[in-house]
Amino acid sequence: LETNRYVRFRLCQSSHCVADRAVGCSSSYGDYVVDMDTFVAAYIDNQQDILEKNCQALAETCGCEERRLEEGDQDDCYTNCYYNAGMSQCIDGQND
């Protein structure tokens, strides 16, 4: 027995998006249907990309490179920076 699972989503132009509508917009949109595995894989990849970019952007503001710290001290510097910024999810992938 095979079950087909699909996800339907709608992309709207930001100028036509309405937050209080369940469908988001009523004109200038595109409806898309993909299988759930494809959608979930793409969503997870996108979330990981966003996290990586946010972590890299934060790392550039930490000042750990400029301090010329020893390797272990530099890791601690990034850990503290991420933690203090509320981005502890960056700690596992330090300096990727």
Side-chain angles (χ1 to χ4, degrees), residues 7-95:
V7 174
R8 176 183 164 244
F9 60 98
R10 177 173 283 183
L11 298 180
C12 305
Q13 293 179 358
S14 60
S15 60
H16 292 87
C17 186
V18 181
D20 63 349
R21 294 185 61 123
V23 294
C25 52
S26 59
S27 64
S28 299
Y29 62 87
D31 278 331
Y32 298 88
V33 177
V34 296
D35 68 272
M36 189 174 294
D37 291 338
T38 300
F39 180 84
V40 170
Y43 177 80
I44 290 171
D45 284 347
N46 180 262
Q47 293 300 302
Q48 289 173 334
D49 288 347
I50 290 170
L51 177 61
E52 183 178 323
K53 288 176 185 173
N54 288 341
C55 292
Q56 287 175 349
L58 178 58
E60 291 172 8
T61 68
C62 291
C64 299
E65 292 290 327
E66 293 80 15
R67 295 183 197 165
R68 302 196 190 288
L69 302 169
E70 297 293 322
E71 185 66 34
D73 293 337
Q74 194 172 55
D75 288 346
D76 289 343
C77 178
Y78 283 110
T79 297
N80 289 331
C81 181
Y82 294 144
Y83 181 77
N84 291 335
M87 294 286 290
S88 59
Q89 63 270 38
C90 297
I91 294 171
D92 288 338
Q94 283 186 10
N95 307 320

